[in-house]
Amino acid sequence: MSLWIDKYRPTTLENLTYNPGLSRKIKNLVDSDFPHLLIYGPSGAGKKTRILCILKELFGDGAEKIKIDQRSFENQKKKLEINIISSKYHIELTPSDVGTSDKIVFQELLTEIAQTQQIDADAKQRFKVVVINEADEITRDAQAALRRTMEKYMSNLRIILCCNSTSRIIEPIRSRCMLIRVPLPSSDEISTSLQHIASNEGIHLSKTLADNIIRQSQRNPRKAILTFEVMATQNKNLNNNTEIPKIDWEQVIDEIVNKIVKSQAVETLNTIRQKIYELQSHCVPPSLVLKKIALNLFTDKRVSSNAKLTIINSATYFPLCPPQ
């Protein structure tokens, strides 16, 4: 049984109710000379969903027939492994999974794909597409290798980069891509989606409760749908007073902030460090953890104004290092 976020995920640009104007512009690109794309925007805004819709628009239903493989690479006697999602027409990978050794992925894998031509006579397009997730985590050496690949094999390869921010993408790559920003949808658009899901699942969802879910999720549609599903699973009858649960990792962040505020002892520091390690082991990005802790401390009324200034100074003085 699939989660609602997957069950009700749109599969075509026409079915994407969020940012319809953006969908029309992308459809025009598909019907013309399709360029390299750099799709960016906040987490949960629907970037990957929109990419899947683009692939279906480019290649038809065949883009949905995917398989998952694992490729191995040798780098200075070190074995690197990366998971690849692929169809006959595209591949999707996350090079940052191999850390600072991601350059070899571009040197070997992308070059191998770029040198092969599309042989399916029924394909709508004569090129293949490579979708690169977490593009802002790629090292600069790997980005330089990617730039050369984009230039050399433009005739039979298109790159779609997906990331939260373009600040870490080098200028030569940005200049060779069409930048598409996917903003968070409006509250009304998310409310319409929640009501659609509620209607199909036979659940009564009041407008007040829907607005509360959207407010709690900070207009993140993925988070809103997941939260709604948890609430519907735990409560048979939803009403305006139904408690809106927090995501597990956010509850851990709240615990960390409470411990920081209550005590600054060495024992507290050791406990907090252990909780942060646990969050990282559950694949919560370190940058997200630190950002959430800083924001929660800054908005906590128990923290003095002077302490908040110190938090801001520390957050700006010790930024997360960009990829090298």
Side-chain angles (χ1 to χ4, degrees), residues 20-56:
L22 184 58
S23 297
R24 289 192 295 270
K25 292 179 181 178
I26 292 176
K27 186 170 177 58
N28 291 334
L29 290 177
V30 173
D31 295 335
S32 59
D33 186 12
F34 191 76
H36 299 302
L37 297 181
L38 173 52
I39 299 179
Y40 67 102
S43 178
K47 298 185 295 295
K48 289 186 179 180
T49 298
R50 201 166 292 270
I51 289 173
L52 293 176
C53 293
I54 291 173
L55 292 173
K56 187 170 183 180

Side-chain angles (χ1 to χ4, degrees), residues 255-276:
E255 293 176 9
I256 291 174
V257 171
N258 285 329
K259 290 184 178 296
I260 292 174
V261 174
K262 289 182 179 179
S263 174
Q264 291 80 47
V266 175
E267 294 79 6
T268 304
L269 180 61
N270 292 331
T271 303
I272 292 171
R273 182 184 290 115
Q274 185 61 38
K275 287 185 177 295
I276 292 177

Side-chain angles (χ1 to χ4, degrees), residues 193-212:
S193 294
L194 292 179
Q195 294 293 351
H196 172 70
I197 294 173
S199 176
N200 287 347
E201 298 293 332
I203 301 171
H204 173 69
L205 176 65
S206 67
K207 186 179 185 306
T208 300
L209 183 57
D211 291 341
N212 291 338

Side-chain angles (χ1 to χ4, degrees), residues 134 137 164 249 279-280 282-291 320:
E134 299 180 9
E137 298 296 331
N164 292 341
W249 70 267
L279 289 173
Q280 292 186 38
H282 286 81
C283 300
V284 181
S287 58
L288 182 59
V289 172
L290 295 177
K291 178 181 177 181
L320 292 176

Side-chain angles (χ1 to χ4, degrees), residues 232-249:
T233 304
Q234 296 177 347
N235 302 275
K236 294 183 179 180
N237 297 313
L238 298 177
N239 55 63
N240 295 341
N241 297 322
T242 302
E243 183 180 357
I244 302 176
K246 281 191 172 184
I247 299 176
D248 291 345
W249 70 267

Side-chain angles (χ1 to χ4, degrees), residues 4 7 63 87 117 151 188 191 214 217 275 277-278 283 321:
W4 289 352
K7 182 178 179 181
S87 71
Q117 294 185 349
E151 291 175 342
D188 290 340
S191 180
I214 295 168
S217 64
K275 287 185 177 295
Y277 287 157
E278 291 175 2
C283 300
C321 295

Side-chain angles (χ1 to χ4, degrees), residues 55-56 59-66 86-90 120:
L55 292 173
K56 187 170 183 180
F59 304 110
D61 295 336
E64 296 180 320
K65 298 176 182 179
I66 62 173
S86 64
S87 71
K88 291 193 301 182
Y89 311 104
H90 84 287
D120 190 347

